[in-house]
Amino acid sequence: VLNQLQESGLADWVATSTWGYPLTLTTHGVGLAIVVGVVLIVSMRVMGLFPGIPLQVTRSLLPYMWAAFVLNLISGIALFTADAERFFFSLTFQLKILFIVIGLVVVVTLDQTVLKPAVRGGGAGVLPSYAKPLAIVSVLLWWFSVILSGRLIAYLS
Amino acid sequence: MFDPTPTLDAIGNWMITTPVYDFMVNVGWAFAAAETLHFMALTLLLGSLLVVDLRGMGLLRFIPFEQAHKLVPLAIGAFVVNVITGLSFVFSNPWMYFPNMGFWWKMLFIIFAGINALVFEILVFRPYRNGNTAIADSNLAKITSALSLAFWFTVLILGRFLPWTE
């Protein structure tokens, strides 16, 4: 399967055409800034920073994050196919994917159990006790783990 | 016309005599660590600007204008981290960056973004704080906010393109 991916037209375009790799990597960089940037701002707000911004309205930032995430899923798959065997067996790549999956679960949990009730309550009401720790986990996962492991793919493996 | 080459040569020659150069070149993890920090700070910079500028463009209207603006110090802090880590890259290999036109385009767009931010601060945010709240919905506010995002995303894209503009 990995071989087939590597021999696909998409892989060929990314790996060998003049613009394929720079364009795909740059798209991935733009998406990264939006995904992680939005997660950071929302998480910091849940942690209690910037109290002047109503908690429930940070929820309306999430569509930007999801749009950028789709962009990065597509550009990420394209980058993966170009060198599928190396990525698949690279520990840093495996860790990165793991951190992204956990990170998404954390964001969805924050959205559904903290932000959504805040919208319903008009911002009133007490945060669940796990809200702040979970927001810190969210920052650690996306900011440190995903970016660090992503950068290390270029250096290790 | 002014030829910057001798000046740049002198700066580059000085850079490679500094401890920063030694550190970046001889410590195995230094470059990767600086790059990771550069990426972390850029997400913080773009994330906070996304809120400030989308609000300035008239989107996200349920965020109070002056509250969105409270994210500006965060963006400035992140920018400072990126200037420091960015300088460390140049110190590590001035001869890779100075002849690279993509690098100078990136610097130019950072200057554009800085001037644009000053225009926003002086012509939009100060009058707003002095009572002219209508200016938050002016075309000037919308245009400078949209330009801010356009300039910073261009900076990000040019940065990612540097290996191919050499």
Side-chain angles (χ1 to χ4, degrees), chain A residues 46-126:
Chain A
V46 174
M47 284 156 66
L49 296 164
F50 310 108
I53 298 177
L55 178 64
Q56 66 272 25
V57 305
T58 58
R59 190 159 196 243
S60 49
L61 287 170
L62 290 178
Y64 294 93
M65 183 218 128
W66 287 112
F69 181 78
V70 170
L71 192 69
N72 268 20
L73 188 64
I74 296 168
S75 55
I77 289 171
L79 290 168
F80 177 83
T81 59
D83 208 350
E85 272 179 34
R86 181 174 77 95
F87 283 127
F88 190 80
F89 295 108
S90 148
L91 179 65
T92 40
F93 176 79
Q94 294 164 354
L95 281 174
K96 177 176 171 174
I97 300 303
L98 178 69
F99 291 140
I100 290 172
V101 171
I102 305 172
L104 284 177
V105 171
V106 169
V107 167
V108 171
T109 308
L110 278 176
D111 182 39
Q112 292 297 317
T113 71
V114 179
L115 300 180
K116 211 172 166 183
V119 173
R120 269 203 301 270
V126 194

Side-chain angles (χ1 to χ4, degrees), chain A residues 7-36:
Chain A
E7 279 154 22
S8 65
L10 177 67
D12 192 50
W13 180 74
V14 174
T16 60
S17 70
T18 313
W19 289 99
Y21 189 67
L23 275 181
T24 318
L25 200 64
T26 304
T27 307
H28 209 63
V30 170
L32 158 114
I34 300 173
V35 171
V36 183

